[in-house]
Amino acid sequence: MINDLVMKKRTSFSFTARVKNFQYAVSGLRTALATEHNLRIHFFMTVAMMVTALIVTVSTMEAIALCIVAGLVWITELFNTAIEKIMDYISIDREPEIKFIKDVAAAAVLVAAITAFTTGCIIFIPKF
């Protein structure tokens, strides 16, 4: 019986369920933006990057590179936020293992931000 339900769930498509999934994702993004200071910084920097790209007229390939690195920063920050919340849920105590997990997740954001900054410098500096 359970296998039948699992198979049915995997094979049936529901447009309503897809819309609900999209709504959950938008809700998560809204909540993260409302509660996470770093995401608001990333939002501001993304808007600044887009305005600068419009002002200096970047090429299509440069715009693609900027979109990819901006998306990379957003994705890593959202995963970092989720990981931090999970770790806080597991334990509020300062345990070395949890600190390590949180630090590595934060390092991923740092690497993504450095990559985005470097890409932005490569694209924008010659245009000024």
Side-chain angles (χ1 to χ4, degrees):
M1 175 124 185
I2 292 175
N3 286 339
D4 292 337
L5 290 173
V6 170
M7 291 304 292
K8 184 176 182 181
K9 193 171 190 175
R10 285 186 189 162
T11 58
S12 62
F13 176 84
S14 166
F15 185 74
T16 304
R18 302 296 72 79
V19 170
K20 275 205 170 292
N21 287 345
F22 183 77
Q23 290 171 338
Y24 295 144
V26 170
S27 175
L29 188 56
R30 275 193 200 134
T31 301
L33 274 168
T35 60
E36 298 300 316
H37 178 73
N38 287 344
L39 273 172
R40 290 192 297 271
I41 293 171
H42 293 310
F43 177 78
F44 172 77
M45 295 306 291
T46 301
V47 170
M49 177 269 302
M50 291 184 331
V51 169
T52 305
L54 289 171
I55 291 170
V56 301
T57 314
V58 298
S59 71
T60 301
M61 291 308 293
E62 289 169 333
I64 290 168
L66 291 170
C67 286
I68 289 170
V69 295
L72 177 67
V73 171
W74 277 85
I75 291 165
T76 54
E77 185 62 55
L78 288 166
F79 275 126
N80 179 52
T81 299
I83 289 167
E84 284 184 356
K85 297 297 182 192
I86 291 167
M87 293 299 104
D88 290 344
Y89 181 77
I90 290 171
S91 175
I92 59 170
D93 296 331
R94 292 186 176 259
E95 297 181 27
E97 296 85 1
I98 289 179
K99 181 186 181 322
F100 175 80
I101 292 166
K102 289 173 123 181
D103 288 352
V104 169
V109 178
L110 178 63
V111 170
I114 290 170
T115 302
F117 179 78
T118 303
T119 303
C121 288
I122 291 167
I123 291 170
F124 291 125
I125 288 174
K127 295 185 184 300
F128 289 110

